[in-house]
Amino acid sequence: HQNVRLSLSLAPGVRVARACTDYATEVSEGVGGAQTLAVELGDLFAEERRDILVRLSLPAGEAAAHQLIGHLGTKAFSVRSVRSQAPAPIACAVARGAVAEGGRDDFVERHWNRFVATEALKSSKDTAGRGQLEEARRLLTEALGALRASPLAAVGDAVTLALISDVQECLGDLRSREAYSAVASKKMSAMWQGHSRQRCANIDSTAMYMNTASAQMRSAFQSMGK
């Protein structure tokens, strides 16, 4: 599909606190101040997915009740059907409790970790590009600490451990201005693109995002090199 656009039309009183993504976003207000969050995802290949975290501010609700958050819709151009497609929006609701229980859901925690890593890689790369290596190292060190403190790191979650490895590797490559220019700048850009877009790049850790076609092409290429 091409030109994929997500639209989250929020219920009255629900507000967007932050869209945790590098994709282009826009928040608009309609009748009564109700907000709509739009996320432009661009093109998707077969089997690809995009996991977008959104932090919302909700009005007070009754305990043990389901509260409507809004409706999620999408629109895209289907290359196969040669027409635009827009499935019916789906309702999104949350079960309210008197007291919050536990931490983040594992799925949410995993993609929060991905966002932490990609934000740090991008910010650190830009900072190092301005010659501020010490600050760039600080940004990666801070992200590394957050990732290591994640409950998923403690249980050996493969995605979280791969993110930790990537951030740690880039931190080591920021030992000098020369190392940044020769190695780190390219590596950080590839890692940021791969993890933020959830698309396989020329980095081993992004192989987790491969679709069937990409996996077959990679296998064929590796066989040719033997």
Side-chain angles (χ1 to χ4, degrees):
H1 285 78
Q2 296 178 329
N3 301 323
V4 181
R5 177 185 175 94
L6 294 180
S7 295
L8 179 60
S9 300
L10 298 174
V14 181
R15 312 292 290 179
V16 177
R18 185 180 186 184
C20 303
T21 178
D22 287 313
Y23 285 103
T25 63
E26 179 184 8
V27 177
S28 58
E29 293 196 1
V31 179
Q35 290 189 332
T36 296
L37 169 66
V39 184
E40 302 290 348
L41 298 180
D43 300 343
L44 270 68
F45 298 138
E47 302 176 21
E48 283 191 330
R49 61 182 294 158
R50 299 291 182 266
D51 298 293
I52 309 297
L53 294 184
V54 180
R55 182 176 290 170
L56 301 173
S57 173
L58 276 63
E62 296 181 4
H66 280 76
Q67 182 176 352
L68 179 68
I69 293 176
H71 292 82
L72 179 65
T74 184
K75 183 177 181 181
F77 181 80
S78 171
V79 176
R80 185 173 183 177
S81 302
V82 198
R83 63 184 179 88
S84 293
Q85 295 179 333
I90 59 173
C92 303
V94 62
R96 304 299 296 265
V99 179
E101 298 181 1
R104 296 188 188 99
D105 175 85
D106 284 354
F107 179 85
V108 174
E109 178 75 10
R110 184 173 296 113
H111 290 290
W112 173 253
N113 290 342
R114 183 171 60 83
F115 179 68
V116 168
T118 55
E119 281 287 280
L121 289 168
K122 185 176 186 297
S123 298
S124 181
K125 177 182 177 298
D126 292 343
T127 302
R130 296 191 294 269
Q132 302 171 9
L133 288 184
E134 185 175 347
E135 175 63 12
R137 287 191 288 265
R138 186 196 68 78
L139 290 170
L140 290 184
T141 300
E142 186 177 90
L144 193 57
L147 292 171
R148 285 173 171 167
S150 170
L152 291 185
V155 297
D157 178 71
V159 173
T160 300
L161 294 183
L163 294 169
I164 290 174
S165 178
D166 281 357
V167 173
Q168 190 167 10
E169 184 177 343
C170 290
L171 181 59
D173 289 335
L174 288 179
R175 58 188 177 275
S176 67
R177 177 66 185 177
E178 292 72 25
Y180 166 76
S181 298
V183 179
S185 60
K186 289 80 172 175
K187 186 183 295 182
M188 294 168 77
S189 181
M191 289 178 175
W192 168 71
Q193 288 280 353
H195 290 305
S196 66
R197 290 332 192 219
Q198 291 177 271
R199 180 169 286 170
C200 183
N202 192 27
I203 299 289
D204 287 342
S205 61
T206 63
M208 67 180 83
Y209 307 122
M210 285 194 297
N211 58 15
T212 301
S214 296
Q216 291 173 343
M217 290 176 62
R218 180 169 180 165
S219 178
F221 180 79
Q222 290 175 339
S223 297
M224 291 173 60
K226 294 181 179 179

